[in-house]
Amino acid sequence: MVALAGILLVTNQWGSEELTRRLLNERRHLVEAVADNLDYVLKSNMMLLEEVALRARFGLQKEGGKTLNPALRDAYLQSIFSEGVFLIDKAGNIIGTEPQGDLPNEEKSFSLLPLRELLEQGKPAISNLVVGGKRRIYALVPIRDSSNELTGAVGGELDPQSPRFRSLLRPIRLGETTYLDLVDGRGIVLASTEPARIFINSDHGRFLAGLIREKKAVVGACHTCHDQNGFPETREREVIAFAPLKSAPWGVSIRQAEREALAPSFGMERRFFYFGTATILVALLFAAGVARSVTRPLKMLTEAAKRITGGDLSHQIPTSSEDELGVLAQSLDRMQ
């Protein structure tokens, strides 16, 4: 019985761990696919800015950039940059905007440190969430002349609450407790399928920010800490799969209650437990029956042998079976 119970336990544990590993790997592949899709969308929008930058390479100073207004308008209409597309020179002076006259003023945008940092990088870049008068995200593509010298940049301004941006993150129907977060490099939620989570500091912000810097995808289980962000305290274990984006300092996570995400594994453990318990009970009953069928005849033969030893030869020894014990009883009866 101990051996049987041990075999069932090991088999159950191995099967459950293997199923859990497969479920987590599938969740990791899923979040990586979501991240790849977001990268594709962002790269497509950055290419619209790069087309304007390419056209501006030899004509940035020409007529103050007015010749690029049609290109700016096309980029604005076709991109997710809901708040406008702009053209600036190397010093940060505004040369052109689309929509015209609707560009944020210098105090609001271009004097912000994140934009200066993007311009200093000298390569296409997307910012984290910029918190000023309003919450905004910026993208910049540098403009270089024929000598490869930086002469300016084409940028886009994005409102994370705009329908264009919210459409990037679509719900995934994995269960009732599933939700997706898009997190920037400081752990701030830029977008979420749970609207109440937008702009909060993620409960694993530092950890996720480190993964974004390392460009590392992970999957695992953790406790929720929503009580720290204005959510009611739940402390429910969640399965979280996270993958960083390549085109922006962001990352996307898929989170789901562990009881729902790993339901097949837990169900397998329960089935093994019930099956194992039933099997052991049946085996114990069978063993008890077999032992009883052996010990009763042996006890009877032992008592008969004691009577014969004491000289009592008057009792017939019953033979109730044809097995080895039955043959022994017949032989003892003939000897008596």
Side-chain angles (χ1 to χ4, degrees):
M1 293 301 99
V2 172
L4 178 60
I7 292 173
L8 288 176
L9 178 61
V10 172
T11 303
N12 177 28
Q13 188 68 21
W14 178 83
S16 176
E17 290 179 356
E18 180 64 22
L19 181 57
T20 299
R21 187 160 47 248
R22 290 185 180 183
L23 291 172
L24 294 180
N25 284 336
E26 290 176 359
R27 192 59 56 91
R28 177 172 177 172
H29 294 327
L30 177 60
V31 75
E32 288 176 342
V34 173
D36 288 342
N37 180 67
L38 290 175
D39 270 320
Y40 173 78
V41 174
L42 291 177
K43 288 178 181 178
S44 298
N45 284 270
M46 293 296 286
M47 286 180 63
L48 296 174
L49 299 182
E50 289 174 359
E51 290 178 3
V52 179
L54 184 61
R55 295 180 61 176
R57 182 170 185 177
F58 302 103
L60 182 61
Q61 305 299 331
K62 187 178 181 180
E63 298 182 6
K66 293 182 179 180
T67 57
L68 297 174
N69 286 339
L72 290 175
R73 181 168 181 78
D74 290 342
Y76 168 69
L77 294 175
Q78 299 177 32
S79 69
I80 61 174
F81 301 113
S82 56
E83 301 306 299
V85 178
F86 52 86
L87 188 66
I88 58 176
D89 62 17
K90 185 177 181 179
N93 299 313
I94 302 173
I95 299 177
T97 68
E98 183 60 44
Q100 295 184 10
D102 195 29
L103 189 74
N105 57 46
E106 182 176 352
E107 181 181 357
K108 181 179 177 182
S109 62
F110 295 106
S111 63
L112 293 175
L113 180 61
L115 279 176
R116 293 202 299 269
E117 291 177 347
L118 291 180
L119 187 60
E120 290 172 358
Q121 290 181 19
K123 60 181 181 180
I126 300 176
S127 73
N128 292 313
L129 182 67
V130 177
V131 180
K134 294 182 179 180
R135 298 179 176 92
R136 292 291 185 263
I137 298 171
Y138 294 95
L140 284 183
V141 174
I143 300 174
R144 298 184 180 276
D145 59 18
S146 56
S147 302
N148 205 34
E149 293 292 331
L150 184 66
T151 59
V154 180
E157 183 180 3
L158 178 60
D159 179 5
Q161 294 182 299
S162 68
R164 294 189 194 182
F165 188 78
R166 292 202 305 267
S167 65
L168 294 180
L169 210 59
R170 299 183 181 276
I172 295 179
R173 303 301 180 185
L174 292 177
E176 296 181 356
T177 62
T178 304
Y179 62 96
L180 281 71
D181 284 348
L182 182 62
V183 183
D184 73 1
R186 292 175 298 179
I188 300 175
V189 178
L190 300 176
S192 176
T193 54
E194 293 286 342
R197 290 182 57 79
I198 297 177
F199 300 142
I200 69 172
N201 291 317
S202 176
D203 44 0
H204 301 287
R206 290 184 179 180
F207 176 65
L208 299 182
L211 294 177
I212 291 173
R213 289 192 300 269
E214 298 172 6
K215 299 297 181 183
K216 182 179 179 181
V218 298
V219 62
C222 62
H223 278 104
T224 56
C225 305
H226 294 170
D227 55 301
Q228 297 179 3
N229 296 306
F231 285 78
E233 185 174 358
T234 58
R235 301 301 295 174
E236 184 178 22
R237 283 184 64 84
E238 283 186 338
V239 170
I240 175 172
F242 180 83
L245 274 63
K246 300 181 180 68
S247 56
W250 305 344
V252 60
S253 65
I254 299 177
R255 303 175 67 160
Q256 187 179 16
E258 186 182 53
R259 55 179 169 79
E260 188 176 53
L262 301 182
S265 178
F266 294 155
M268 182 179 182
E269 290 182 358
R270 287 194 298 270
R271 288 192 296 271
F272 264 104
F273 174 77
Y274 296 145
F275 174 76
T277 301
T279 300
I280 291 176
L281 289 176
V282 170
L284 286 172
L285 291 174
F286 177 75
V290 172
R292 183 179 178 85
S293 67
V294 173
T295 56
R296 288 186 63 186
L298 284 176
K299 183 177 181 181
M300 180 190 65
L301 292 176
T302 301
E303 292 176 352
K306 289 180 179 179
R307 289 198 304 270
I308 295 173
T309 302
D312 183 0
L313 305 177
S314 60
H315 293 81
Q316 183 179 4
I317 301 175
T319 56
S320 59
S321 63
E322 298 296 332
D323 57 9
E324 290 79 357
L325 291 175
V327 173
L328 178 60
Q330 293 175 8
S331 299
L332 191 60
D333 187 59
R334 287 194 300 269
M335 182 184 71
Q336 175 183 254

